[in-house]
Each structure stands twice: as structure tokens, then as C-alpha cells.
Amino acid sequence: MSELPLRSEPALTAEADRAGASSGERIRHITAVGITEWLDRHSGRLFVLPAVLLILSFSIFPLIISAWLSLSRFKLVTTGFELKYIGLANFRKLLFGSQQFHFLGTFTEISPFGGLIMLAGFGAIAWTLYRYLASGSISVLGLIGRLIAFSLLGGIVLMFGTTIGGKSQIGSLSTTIFYVTAGVAVQFLIGMGLAFLCSQKIAGRSFFRVVFFIPLMVTPVGIAYTFRMLADMKFGPFAPLWSAMGLGQFAWAANPWSARWVVVIGDSWQWIPFVFIVMLAAFESQPRDEVEAAELDGASPLQIFRDITWPSVAPVAATVVLIRVIEAFKMVDLPNVLTNGGPGIASESLTLHAFMEWRALNLGGSAAIAYSLLFVSTILCVAFFNLIVQPMRRERA
Amino acid sequence: MSIRKFLTGLTAGAGICALAALAPAAAAEFDGVTINVMTFTGPQIAEPLQRRAPDFEKATGAKVNVITVPFSDLYQKLLTDWTTGTNSVDAAVFAPQWMVDYVTPGLLEDISDRVAKDEAIKLDDIAPFFREFSQKFNGKTYMLTLDGDFQMVYYRTDVAKDLGLNPPQTWDDYLAFAKAAHGKDLNGDGKADFGSCIAKKRNAQSYWMIISVASAFLQSKGTSQGAFFKTEDLQPLYGQNEAFAEALRIYSETTKYGPPDEINLDVGDTRNLFTSGQCALSIDWGDIGTLAIDKEKSKVIDKVGAVVLPGSKRVLDRETGKLVDCTPEICPHAKDGINHAPFAAFGGWSGGINAKADPKVKDAAYAFFSWMSQPEHSNEDVTIGITGFNPYRLSQFQNLELWTKAGMSEQAAKDYLGAIQESLNSPNMVLDLRIPQNQRYEQVALDTAIARLLAGELDIEGAMKDVAASWNEITDELSRDEQLSAYKSTIGAQ
């Protein structure tokens, strides 16, 4: 990377000879010059090296170790501990073995609602694939990517369709996907709505901006405990209100769906401010002249939002959803504190599932769950980015 | 005395006083030593450790730093700290049930010699069960008992009197009592209360509750028969048989007479409910007995009775998997035809020392646990509800004055101590599972299946299949022979 003209090694040696240096000094001189030259040549790589080493130690190394763990069985022995290679046994247990009910769910019969989900899901996948194939701009990479993403999506639709409703029960993978989709949808709609309101010229908007932002500052476990207190129907601060509404004896934690929704509400309370603050910046950076021109032309507020505001903030919206989706896949604090994953395993997220196995020393099983989560979340997030965020950005450009 | 002599004397006296003031106090044995002790997030258990730490520091110079973590994380956090060589924790107060996982890889210090030389601890005063079983593994002492743990049934004496019922002797009696009391106003607040309050929250203490119910149906021929597995092949008794089915039926039925959110309650919640007068019955360790006499918080002072865990007139025939009537041969320890199998759940909070800690810190840690266990301290602590410590010393059972001074009536004290002593002296006592990775059997597999049963995700048949399959899978993963050998040695089976 050096811009300085470098002298060749024979020239330097000759120079040293002329100076009458002894052979030992000459060798030392040549070595020193060689190192300097080598350092000059590799300075770029050397500058990057500390960062690379850091990433390798804190990101890649744990990934490799946990991959090894997921293929192993941990056991305490007299010499400390032993990790025995067992191939894909931990994954087999999750997908086809004793933990299938926990990971994928329990299938008994297809309920009407499950059938509807499958019809809508497979229909949407087929339609999207058809549109891509009919578009004429097919690439090998694009096709492979879509096939991988749609296979996974198809699997998820099948899993939901067969384990939801009736006597079937969903597993921790479906519960996590429910938290991701329902949570992010609620957070996005409310966060964007509040941001839109605060971007208008209304009284007290500065005050509301601060108020809406506060929950984001609180630590997730703090939120979970606060929410647990708020959601206590008998002793919480809203107990008189619940009692007056006839809900004093309602045990939300005893019903699978109410427990899951309470987790979603708690998560939304925490994350709406994040969506709010990002979307507020997007709304406020939108050029005013386009909106004013539309107003002059007599466009209704709805038309202005649909045709001018939304297209301008859509790429930011897609990015904020992507960030939230990635985060939501890792949810653990709220179900752990609010319900401990109950009733049964109804509100257990994948991360909580992995955490419970880990703390009982089933390190291999725990790593297998974590890796499964990594596969699912990576494929879905990459698909979301390529199929939704990128086209939005291209459209905007 | 001349003025000169007086002034000389005054100066010398002042000098001595000044020197005395400046001289350092005599060095204590553990000056400058800090002990990091881990236990679970209290207030119970952590409270007495934190309360007594300053006095211990004054006496010995050692500073005790109590680190608390949630109960469900304690086993893993401690094990991680010690197995990875982090060793930020010097000692811990945890379950002797987990000792096997700590002793096998050499993480726990053998304190046999220290205990033998320690006169202040008064070892003979510790009840034999705790001294010989809870504190020891393979004949060596690794832990010091600070708490005695047996589960028993608490009932409201006033409610029993009003309803004309006797304390429950069998689990059917328990259900009948709960049914009769459920929906009645038990604390005079004009609202309907509950027949039975049992901690059924997942990932908390609920798996001990189902073991308390099931034990009477599963073990009848003494401790060495074992209540968890068959001793021939380690096939789970928590599997498809009529005894476990009956236990699950009873356990599920208690939910009908409990608070609506019972499946989300841990023992902290049920204790509050019971002491606030909202429950007629509860299953718990010794804690309710002392919490019930708290003058500030309890609404059931002198209204609480305690009995040994209810039993059953029918027990499991291990050959056929059927329930059979008790006979003197089948239930040699039965009283009035009722087989009781009191459950030493958890085993009592005990102190253990990190084998890799600094030698001076090990000495200080041992001294601290000994200090906590010595009768002058523990005899007071076991009478205070907030400590979470229950009686485990013979003097604590014999000296009624300790309890009456703490606020218990003589009758209540006799009831309470009687129930614990009956459990302690029972030849059919059920020892908690102490084989390697017992956490996976109880806290994960059993706990999950029971939670799913209560949530309606599984029926009784499904729950039985699920527990048996999970336990067999864990056993096969860890080696059936090794697990069987560990199981037999912990219960003293041949």
C-alpha cells in the first residue's frame, strides 16, 4: 500500500558493503529492511487484522463451537466434561423424535382454520413464484434463492396448517413465528401511526415524542417484570379496573392464546417506540413541496398518504420491519418472566426453548435448537430483504 | 506527688492512650478475605446469609459477598462458572440433590476433615438424614446443611372445625377437604376463596408437588425400594401404570379447587395466598409454618395445622403396573392401612465450596457455613419465615420454647414439628432423585409433561407416555448402566 519508491534489496546490500559493514551487521540490516518492506507491502491487511481477529473471536468462533456442540452430547465425567460426536441426532430428535412436539408441534387433525391457512399460504407462494417465472427476468441465483425460501415458507405453512386449531398444538417454532408476525405487525402499524401523527402540526407533539420513546430506554427484563405486574389481574395496579369489568378472575396465563397475546402486547409496548422514532425521521425528511403541491391540487389526506407519503417512506419502513423481524426471532425475556413458557409449552419461544435445555445441561440439544432458529431466521430475513426491501428501493430509485 | 511527677505521669498516660488509639486492632483470622457466595434470588435463603454476613465479618474479618440468581438458573450458572474455570464464585448455597453433577468432575471441595474437626458445628445435633445423606456423597461430606426440607400438607384448623373434617390422611381426603372448602369465604373478606393452593407454575417448583402426590402410590417397601425407577433396569415408575395415572388424576383434580391462575403460581405466590387466608389447603416445605406466625403479614395465626404428606390405601404392583390394596406384606410401613411416603424434596439448602478456590478463601467459606449452621444462629433462623430455613437439628425439634417464643402456639408447634419429624423418621421416606443430570429428568422432562397436562395439551395417558419416553431417552443417552448404578447407590438398594 506504500506510495514511497522502494529500493531493491541488491541495491541496499551494495550500499551496506560500501559502508564497510561487517557480515553480521549486513545480515541484520538486510533483515530489518526486509521486515520494513514486508510491513509496507502488507500494511493494509495488518491494519484490518485486529478487527478481523475480534470478529473471528466473538462471532465466528462461537458459531463454529455451537455448530460442534449441536452435533455432540455433553457429559460430566471425572476429568471434567466430555463432548461426544453424535452426528445429527440432536436435530433428528427435534424434527422427527421425542422433541418434535416441542419444536414443530403436535398434529392430530387439520382444523378448518388450519386448512384456510394452508390454502392462503400455498396460494400466495404459488402466485409469487408464477409472477417471477412470468416476469422474464429469471436468473439462476434468483431461482435457487426463491426455491430455498419458498421451500421453507411452504414447510412453515404446512406446519402451521397442521398444528393449529382443533386438538393439535403448535410448537416453539410456530410460537416464535407468531411472535414475529403478530408482534412486528402490531408494532409497525401503531408505531407508524403515532409517528405520522407526531409529524403533523399538532399541539404538544414534542411532549408526545418523548413520552412515546421512553419504553425503549428500559431494559427488556425490566419491561417484562413491569408488564408482569401490570398484567396481574388480582394484585396489579389495574386490578380494580379488571374487577369492575368482571375480569378479576380471568386467568390469561391459563389460556394458550391469551398468554401468547400478552407476550405480544408486552413486546409491542417495548418496541413501538423504535418503529416510532425511525418512521418519524422518515416522515419528517419527506420533501414538503410534493405534499403541498398535492394539497393545492385538492388531493384528500388519504390520497396524499397513499400516493406520496407512503412511497417515499416505504424503503425505510421495510428496513425497520427487517430489523424488528431479526430481533423478534430472538425474543426470550418476556415469555420467560411472564409465563415461563406456559401454559404447557404454549408461549415458549425458540430462544427460551434453547435456554431451558441449556440450563439443564443439555448443551447439544440447546445448540441444535439455536442453529435451527438461525437457519429459519436467516432464510426468512434474506428472502424478505431480496423479495420486498430491494424491489421497494429499486422502485423508489 | 510533685508537679513534675504528676506532669510526667500525665504525659505518659496520654502517650499510652494515644498509642492505644493509633495501634491497629488485633488481626482477625480472615482479614482481607472476600468470599463470593452464590445462591438464589431471595428473599428466602439469601436473607439470612446477607443478615449474618456483617457479624461474621466483625468476628473473623472475612467479607461475604452474596450473589443471587433466579432459582431456575442457579444449577447451570454455578456449574458454568466452575467447569469453565472462571471460578468467580467461591462457594454456594444450593441443592444437595445436584451434588452428583458437581462432585463427579471434582468441582466441590471435600470438607469431611473440616467437619470432623469442627466442634462448634455440633454435628451430632444435625438429624441423621441430613448428616448422613444430604451432606454426603460416596461417604464423603461435601456440603453443610443449613435447611431441612420435607414437603407436607398444611390445612386450616378453623376451616376443618367448621366443616367437621379431619386433617387429610389420604389423597382422597385431601380432595374431599378441598372440595368442601372451595368457594367459601375463608378470611372474612366477603369473597369466595380456594380449597387448595399448589404451586403449579412451570419451571418453578411444581415438579416436586407431583412427586409429593405420586410417591405414596409408587413406594411402599421402604426408602431403598426407590420411588422413581425400577431398580432392576431403571425403567421409570413415572410411566404407564395405574399408580402414576392415579397421581396425575388427583393432581389435575386439585386444580378445580385452586385459584384460576394456579398454573402460573410459584411457591412464593401460594404462600402469600395461604397466609392471607385464601386457601384451605396447601402443599409446601416447612416455610408456611413459620410464615403463618408473622404478626405483620399473616391472617392465619394459630389457624394452621400441618400433617405428613397424605398417603394411599392402594399402591403400585411393579410387576403388573396395577394398583393393589395395601397388605402388611405390600405396605410394611403403613399406618392404619395407609401407605405414607414422605418426600424429602430438594434435600434442604446446603453450602458447598469450590474446590478451585484459594485455600484461605476455602477456610473462610467453611467458617461462614459453619457459623450459619451453628445452633446459636440456626436455631433462631429456622423460626423466622423469611429465612426459608426449616428445622434440621434435633435440638430444634426438641426445644418447643424456640417456637413459642417466635409466636407459635404450643399446639401449632407440636403439629408443625410433628409433621416434619414423622417425615424424617419414616422408613418409607422418598429421597429426591440424585443421579447425574437429574435436572433433565425432573426440571425439564417431568416438569414439561405435567405443565402440558395441566394446560390441556396432554391427557393423562399422553403425559405418562411422554414422561416415560423422555426419561428413557435421557437414561440411554447418559448410559443406562451408569445411571442405574448411581440410582441404586443413592437409595441404598442392593
Side-chain angles (χ1 to χ4, degrees):
Chain A
M1 296 284 278
S2 171
E3 299 293 323
L4 297 172
L6 292 171
R7 285 175 293 174
S8 70
E9 203 169 287
L12 288 163
T13 313
E15 193 178 303
D17 279 345
R18 278 196 298 279
S22 68
S23 64
E25 280 173 342
R26 216 165 50 234
I27 290 166
R28 272 200 299 278
H29 178 75
I30 292 167
T31 314
V33 169
I35 290 171
T36 315
E37 196 180 328
W38 186 88
L39 286 174
D40 266 344
R41 257 203 322 271
H42 296 91
S43 57
R45 290 191 192 95
L46 287 172
F47 280 124
V48 175
L49 191 64
V52 172
L53 285 178
L54 272 179
I55 291 170
L56 283 176
S57 345
F58 292 107
S59 277
I60 311 294
F61 178 69
L63 266 183
I64 295 168
I65 288 293
S66 53
W68 170 242
L69 269 180
S70 72
L71 305 173
S72 319
R73 181 173 298 141
F74 176 88
K75 193 176 169 185
L76 290 164
V77 290
T78 44
T79 48
F81 62 86
E82 167 194 283
L83 278 175
K84 187 179 167 192
Y85 175 74
I86 53 164
L88 293 170
N90 287 323
F91 290 95
R92 265 201 305 276
K93 203 196 281 187
L94 286 178
L95 296 171
F96 313 107
S98 64
Q99 288 298 303
Q100 189 190 50
F101 80 90
H102 209 153
F103 183 65
L104 298 177
T106 312
F107 166 70
T108 50
E109 61 196 356
I110 297 176
S111 66
F113 184 53
L116 206 65
I117 286 179
M118 284 204 280
L119 202 67
F122 286 125
I125 291 170
W127 181 71
T128 315
L129 199 58
Y130 168 75
R131 265 189 52 175
Y132 174 66
L133 294 173
S135 69
S137 57
I138 304 168
S139 67
V140 178
L141 267 181
L143 189 63
I144 292 172
R146 278 171 177 77
L147 285 177
I148 294 172
F150 290 153
S151 304
L152 180 74
L153 277 172
I156 289 172
V157 168
L158 189 66
M159 178 182 70
F160 258 107
T162 53
T163 58
I164 207 161
K167 288 181 179 170
S168 306
Q169 282 119 28
I170 63 173
S172 54
L173 176 59
S174 300
T175 304
T176 307
I177 292 171
F178 168 73
Y179 288 152
V180 171
T181 45
V184 174
V186 168
Q187 290 152 32
F188 179 71
L189 290 175
I190 298 179
M192 189 179 72
L194 292 176
F196 185 69
L197 280 178
C198 283
S199 68
Q200 308 301 304
K201 288 172 185 165
I202 54 168
R205 67 181 189 151
S206 300
F207 170 74
F208 285 116
R209 282 178 190 199
V210 176
V211 168
F212 293 149
F213 193 60
I214 285 172
L216 196 62
M217 306 296 198
V218 185
T219 176
V221 175
I223 291 210
Y225 277 104
T226 308
F227 211 75
R228 182 177 163 177
M229 188 181 68
L230 294 177
D232 193 318
M233 313 292 273
K234 277 190 92 173
F235 302 109
F238 298 122
L241 183 69
W242 304 130
S243 188
M245 289 164 69
L247 292 170
Q249 294 294 317
F250 174 64
W252 57 265
N255 178 287
W257 283 104
S258 62
R260 290 182 194 120
W261 272 110
V262 168
V263 171
V264 166
I265 293 168
D267 189 50
S268 301
W269 189 70
Q270 180 183 6
W271 287 106
I272 283 170
F274 171 72
V275 179
F276 166 77
I277 206 77
V278 178
M279 292 307 294
L280 183 65
F283 283 128
E284 293 199 329
S285 62
Q286 181 199 3
R288 292 297 305 162
D289 49 357
E290 288 178 15
V291 177
E292 280 161 8
E295 279 170 351
L296 280 176
D297 288 344
S300 70
L302 185 67
Q303 283 173 319
I304 294 173
F305 183 83
R306 189 188 61 205
D307 298 328
I308 298 171
T309 309
W310 174 248
S312 106
V313 298
V316 177
T319 308
V320 88
V321 167
L322 182 66
I323 295 170
R324 276 303 303 131
V325 166
I326 294 169
E327 274 297 312
F329 266 115
K330 297 183 282 188
M331 187 200 287
V332 64
D333 318 80
L334 277 157
N336 189 30
V337 173
L338 284 172
T339 59
N340 267 5
I345 55 164
S347 62
E348 193 172 307
S349 66
L350 271 179
T351 314
L352 183 58
H353 183 178
F355 177 55
M356 285 175 178
E357 292 291 343
W358 176 77
R359 70 183 171 196
L361 230 56
N362 182 13
L363 304 190
S366 171
I369 297 165
Y371 253 86
S372 307
L373 173 63
L374 181 74
F375 291 137
V376 172
S377 62
T378 305
I379 293 172
L380 289 184
C381 290
V382 169
F384 181 80
F385 184 78
N386 285 319
L387 302 179
I388 296 175
V389 181
Q390 289 284 50
M392 271 185 177
R393 286 186 180 168
R394 278 198 293 272
E395 248 175 58
R396 182 67 189 159
Chain B
M1 184 188 283
S2 71
I3 289 176
R4 201 173 65 183
K5 271 188 181 170
F6 173 74
L7 284 175
T8 309
L10 196 67
T11 313
I16 289 164
C17 288
L19 278 173
L22 288 171
E29 189 184 356
F30 299 119
D31 263 345
V33 174
T34 299
I35 322 161
N36 291 318
V37 180
M38 182 178 271
T39 192
F40 101 108
T41 312
Q44 291 92 349
I45 314 306
E47 188 276 341
L49 300 176
Q50 286 160 338
R51 175 164 47 80
R52 294 210 177 270
D55 290 342
F56 179 73
E57 187 177 356
K58 267 184 214 159
T60 66
K63 189 177 177 219
V64 180
N65 182 24
V66 180
I67 306 157
T68 59
V69 295
F71 174 73
S72 49
D73 292 352
L74 179 59
Y75 165 83
Q76 219 287 335
K77 279 207 187 299
L78 195 59
L79 206 57
T80 307
D81 186 80
W82 291 358
T83 46
T84 55
T86 308
N87 294 319
S88 62
V89 179
D90 305 310
V93 176
F94 61 105
Q97 185 195 1
W98 305 337
M99 207 190 311
V100 55
D101 288 339
Y102 288 80
V103 171
T104 308
L107 304 173
L108 263 186
E109 176 79 354
D110 176 1
I111 53 171
S112 308
D113 289 343
R114 292 175 205 265
V115 173
K117 288 176 198 159
D118 185 356
E119 286 178 13
I121 200 166
K122 295 200 171 39
L123 195 62
D124 289 344
D125 187 38
I126 296 177
F129 166 71
F130 299 107
R131 191 176 62 217
E132 299 303 325
F133 179 76
S134 274
Q135 297 193 149
K136 287 187 177 176
F137 188 78
N138 283 343
K140 291 179 181 170
T141 305
Y142 290 94
M143 302 189 85
L144 270 191
T145 300
L146 304 174
D147 164 42
D149 270 347
F150 281 94
Q151 289 212 324
M152 46 196 175
V153 160
Y154 292 93
Y155 68 98
R156 287 277 299 277
T157 48
D158 55 330
V159 175
K161 199 175 161 190
D162 290 348
L163 298 173
L165 294 167
N166 288 321
Q169 288 299 306
T170 65
W171 285 107
D172 285 333
D173 293 346
Y174 184 98
L175 288 179
F177 196 123
K179 191 177 178 182
H182 189 62
K184 302 218 161 24
D185 178 13
L186 306 177
N187 57 359
D189 65 356
K191 289 179 189 165
D193 292 309
F194 314 111
S196 160
C197 300
I198 301 175
K200 291 179 178 162
K201 186 175 186 170
R202 186 174 168 221
N203 261 305
Q205 304 84 6
S206 61
Y207 54 96
W208 282 301
M209 305 297 168
I210 180 62
I211 298 171
S212 278
V213 177
S215 292
F217 298 95
L218 295 171
Q219 180 184 290
S220 60
K221 292 185 175 169
T223 302
S224 61
Q225 190 190 19
F228 293 95
F229 298 96
K230 289 184 183 173
T231 49
E232 300 84 44
D233 52 8
L234 213 71
Q235 280 302 321
L237 299 175
Y238 283 71
Q240 286 159 288
N241 60 62
E242 286 185 4
F244 188 36
E246 180 65 0
L248 291 177
R249 182 194 68 78
I250 289 166
Y251 193 63
S252 302
E253 195 174 332
T254 59
T255 309
K256 285 186 198 167
Y257 315 123
D261 56 349
E262 195 181 30
I263 63 169
N264 206 30
L265 302 181
D266 63 17
V267 284
D269 302 317
T270 52
R271 284 169 190 167
N272 284 338
L273 283 169
F274 193 90
T275 53
S276 62
Q278 296 183 65
C279 311
L281 290 164
S282 189
I283 305 174
D284 206 326
W285 286 273
D287 303 67
I288 284 185
T290 45
L291 288 167
I293 53 173
D294 186 324
K295 289 190 180 84
E296 285 176 16
K297 292 177 188 163
S298 175
K299 291 185 179 168
V300 290
I301 295 176
D302 270 342
K303 291 178 182 171
V304 179
V307 284
V308 69
L309 282 176
S312 164
K313 290 179 179 172
R314 298 195 303 153
V315 297
L316 176 67
D317 177 349
R318 295 187 180 193
E319 295 300 315
T320 62
K322 307 268 183 207
L323 276 173
V324 293
D325 289 337
C326 266
T327 63
E329 291 75 38
I330 295 171
C331 308
H333 309 294
K335 280 183 185 169
D336 303 326
I338 299 170
N339 178 59
H340 291 272
F343 177 38
F346 192 73
W349 290 91
S350 307
I353 301 167
N354 183 353
K356 302 283 186 320
D358 182 85
K360 192 77 180 165
V361 176
K362 281 184 199 173
D363 291 343
Y366 177 80
F368 179 59
F369 290 143
S370 170
W371 170 278
M372 293 297 303
S373 177
Q374 287 162 20
E376 61 194 282
H377 301 132
S378 78
N379 285 6
E380 184 191 353
D381 287 345
V382 293
T383 64
I384 305 169
I386 191 74
T387 61
F389 287 170
N390 304 144
Y392 62 95
R393 285 181 171 276
L394 300 175
S395 57
Q396 292 159 1
F397 293 106
Q398 288 152 1
N399 187 0
L400 271 189
E401 199 189 332
L402 281 176
W403 303 92
T404 48
K405 230 166 83 181
M408 227 178 239
S409 70
E410 203 169 310
Q411 185 54 47
K414 279 181 183 165
D415 260 15
Y416 173 69
L417 296 172
I420 299 176
Q421 266 183 309
E422 195 179 338
S423 307
L424 199 54
N425 298 330
S426 169
N428 196 35
M429 179 204 293
V430 170
L431 304 177
D432 209 342
L433 195 58
R434 220 166 73 162
I435 57 177
Q437 300 207 15
N438 53 64
Q439 285 281 81
R440 283 178 69 190
Y441 288 90
E442 288 188 347
Q443 198 177 324
V444 178
L446 179 62
D447 193 51
T448 305
I450 299 303
R452 294 180 71 207
L453 171 75
L454 295 177
E457 290 178 13
L458 286 176
D459 55 14
I460 287 177
E461 187 67 23
M464 291 193 295
K465 267 189 198 167
D466 192 63
V467 178
S470 308
W471 282 22
N472 274 327
E473 191 174 60
I474 300 168
T475 301
D476 290 332
E477 276 181 17
L478 299 175
S479 164
R480 186 166 292 268
D481 288 343
E482 286 175 24
Q483 294 295 88
L484 177 60
S485 159
Y487 180 62
K488 285 168 79 170
S489 74
T490 58
I491 59 171
Q494 297 301 314

